[in-house]
Amino acid sequence: MANYCREKSIDLSRARIWRSPFLRTRQTCDEFNKFLKISDIREDITLIEQQYGLFDALPEEDWSKLYPAEYAEYERQRANRGRFYARLPLGESPFDVAIRVHQFMGTVHRDFEKHGMDTLFIFTHGTTIRTFVMRWFHYSPEWYDEDRNPKNCWIREIENGKDLGYINS
């Protein structure tokens, strides 16, 4: 990571880290920051992963077996509204996550306008980063449905107003 920043001539003196308060995100951030050495680290609750409600921590193939009625309703929503808008039982839809992420974008703008932070490292989760990119670039829900979820520790690069995708995929 440090070599990558040097190769790209990234000035880390005006850098800030934002991260989800979830433990695994904190741990990932701490590992990356061993190389970045950024002292300004902040957390924001809007950066947490999508809430899966009844389906939390269950393999997707078990959803219909364990909760047939709830899964049927979820599938009905997916069929009628699309995957982006379908809310998980007692949980969130990607649309709900996008609303949270939009709130965080005000923080990004304030970081730049008030504090001159022009380099941000955001440690978050798959659905959250995809909805961030979607909102930032005004991509459609169809783009969200087609974009792949990152694997653990994948990095999505946005530079000079361009979505450069995952740099280690």
Side-chain angles (χ1 to χ4, degrees):
M1 178 53 63
N3 287 339
Y4 183 81
C5 289
R6 278 193 292 278
E7 288 171 17
K8 300 281 268 180
S9 298
I10 297 173
D11 179 5
L12 296 179
S13 67
R14 292 188 314 269
R16 175 172 285 161
I17 291 175
W18 282 101
R19 67 185 183 187
S20 159
F22 282 6
L23 178 61
R24 66 186 169 107
T25 313
R26 288 175 174 170
Q27 292 168 334
T28 301
C29 173
D30 292 345
E31 286 302 311
F32 273 88
N33 204 32
K34 288 178 182 176
F35 302 98
L36 296 170
K37 297 180 176 33
I38 296 172
S39 60
D40 192 352
I41 301 173
R42 304 191 182 191
E43 293 183 355
D44 193 298
I45 60 171
T46 62
L47 293 175
I48 64 170
E49 178 57 298
Q50 178 179 0
Q51 300 295 296
Y52 283 81
L54 279 179
F55 300 159
D56 190 41
L58 298 175
E60 195 167 343
E61 57 271 9
D62 291 346
W63 294 358
S64 64
K65 292 179 230 162
L66 295 171
Y67 299 103
E70 293 83 355
Y71 182 76
E73 173 57 22
Y74 173 65
E75 284 297 306
R76 187 189 69 74
Q77 287 184 33
R78 281 180 64 166
N80 289 334
R81 297 186 211 163
R83 188 174 72 140
F84 182 74
Y85 297 101
R87 185 170 286 126
L88 294 164
L90 301 178
E92 295 179 298
S93 66
F95 171 78
D96 297 320
V97 178
I99 298 301
R100 281 198 279 110
V101 164
H102 187 72
Q103 294 170 337
F104 175 72
M105 288 180 172
T107 300
V108 170
H109 290 293
R110 284 186 299 279
D111 276 352
F112 178 73
E113 292 167 2
K114 292 184 178 180
H115 306 290
M117 296 294 170
D118 61 3
T119 302
L120 297 179
F121 293 86
I122 302 172
F123 291 84
T124 189
H125 312 270
T127 300
T128 309
I129 196 62
R130 288 168 57 213
T131 58
F132 180 93
V133 171
M134 183 187 123
R135 294 299 307 247
W136 192 260
F137 290 104
H138 304 283
Y139 293 155
S140 69
E142 291 79 17
W143 173 90
Y144 174 88
D145 286 343
E146 292 172 13
D147 191 53
R148 61 187 170 165
N149 220 30
K151 296 189 187 221
N152 289 337
C153 297
W154 276 17
I155 299 167
R156 184 94 185 215
E157 184 176 11
I158 297 172
E159 183 178 16
N160 296 324
K162 293 185 176 126
D163 176 14
L164 302 178
Y166 300 113
I167 63 172
N168 58 336
S169 55

